[in-house]
Amino acid sequence: MRVALDVPAVSHDAALHARMLITLAAAYVRQNQFDKADELYQEAIAQQRGTSDPEALGIAHLGHGIVLAQQDRLDDAVAELSRARVDLESVGDGLGVAGVDVNLGDFELMRHRPAAALPIFGSALRQFDQLGAREGLAYALTRTALAQLELLDVSAALATTQRFWPPEAHTSNQRLRWTLTQMRARALLAVGRLDEADTLISRIRAESDPRKDATARAQADALAARIAMLRGDAASTAGFAAAALLP
């Protein structure tokens, strides 16, 4: 990729060069190489300021904000996402704006402020719904349900999960399906429907991919430990908890 950036047609076109920097930065994010991604996003933002490409600038600010959040620099991350929202809104990129809002809501959850997160997620839900973006909508619903659970509004959380249930009706992405299944199980557990929650958790543990779904499986084991504890099964609680910690 760095070789492509040095091609004259690319290096002399600031807008194209910046977009390639963004692509490379996103690749580093997927590899958890956040320092490299941070450097490239900053370079892309600096280059985009001299072009008339607010969409790419917004994407760069969004990516940079996510990287900053991974580095526990939440105030800086919020500032970057606010800039991203302005840029993307200026070109009518509704999906981009909704994506920014989901991340802003997540930052509020990271700050342990679920009440502040809910209206932000609400804005994202409206955008995704209007645009018919079913996967974006489903994911934003999981974040909404999480905020409601943290506020102990368990009935509302369960009702929210019903909006993306069953998962196969809302996404063909198996990774996202497990995310939806796990959140539904959490809501069922919160209202005391242990057997139904246990059924979903067992499905994740039995059918998910050990490598691709390591996070989902660890979360399922953690939920299984909670169910075992509520049932007074100390041995199973310890076993599931140990399995959850292992990854």
Side-chain angles (χ1 to χ4, degrees):
M1 181 67 78
R2 272 295 185 183
V3 173
L5 290 172
D6 293 333
V7 173
V10 174
S11 59
H12 291 112
D13 184 331
L16 177 58
H17 190 259
R19 282 183 174 267
M20 293 195 71
L21 287 169
I22 293 167
T23 301
L24 182 56
Y28 279 131
V29 169
R30 287 192 291 272
Q31 296 170 8
N32 295 322
Q33 297 186 53
F34 299 114
D35 289 341
K36 291 182 179 179
D38 188 347
E39 179 183 343
L40 290 172
Y41 277 128
Q42 290 191 62
E43 186 178 346
I45 290 167
Q47 289 202 10
Q48 285 289 0
R49 289 194 181 115
T51 72
S52 56
D53 193 355
E55 181 179 25
L57 184 58
I59 294 169
H61 280 303
L62 173 57
H64 191 218
I66 292 170
V67 168
L68 291 172
Q70 293 293 332
Q71 297 170 334
D72 293 325
R73 296 168 57 187
L74 285 181
D75 289 341
D76 293 334
V78 169
E80 281 291 76
L81 262 65
S82 297
R83 297 184 188 102
R85 199 179 197 285
V86 171
D87 291 327
L88 295 171
E89 200 165 31
S90 73
V91 294
D93 186 350
L95 278 176
V97 170
V100 169
D101 284 342
V102 169
N103 281 283
L104 285 171
D106 274 338
F107 293 171
E108 294 298 342
L109 288 181
M110 292 168 71
R111 288 168 156 168
H112 308 290
R113 296 169 55 182
L118 275 178
I120 302 174
F121 288 138
S123 175
L125 290 172
R126 287 188 293 273
Q127 287 272 12
F128 284 132
D129 197 25
Q130 290 170 5
L131 294 168
R134 63 173 191 164
E135 290 190 349
L137 178 64
Y139 180 75
L141 285 168
T142 69
R143 310 313 291 165
T144 300
L146 179 58
Q148 291 166 332
L149 286 175
E150 292 192 5
L151 289 167
L152 302 182
D153 193 350
V154 295
S155 296
L158 184 61
T160 296
T161 66
Q162 189 62 43
R163 293 179 60 185
F164 60 67
W165 202 255
E168 56 269 18
H170 299 272
T171 179
S172 57
N173 183 325
Q174 189 58 67
R175 310 285 81 73
L176 180 56
R177 287 183 184 180
W178 294 134
T179 298
L180 303 180
T181 302
Q182 182 265 139
M183 186 53 64
R184 175 72 171 174
R186 289 186 66 168
L188 288 167
L189 175 57
V191 298
R193 291 161 62 175
L194 303 189
D195 290 343
E196 292 173 75
D198 199 12
T199 297
L200 295 182
I201 293 165
S202 297
R203 181 181 171 193
I204 294 173
R205 299 176 69 249
E207 300 177 17
S208 61
D209 185 285
R211 182 178 61 83
K212 295 179 180 178
D213 301 309
T215 299
R217 291 168 69 88
Q219 291 170 336
D221 285 330
L223 290 173
R226 289 175 59 189
I227 291 175
M229 181 177 65
L230 290 170
R231 288 172 169 166
D233 185 345
S236 294
T237 299
F240 285 128
L245 286 170
L246 185 60

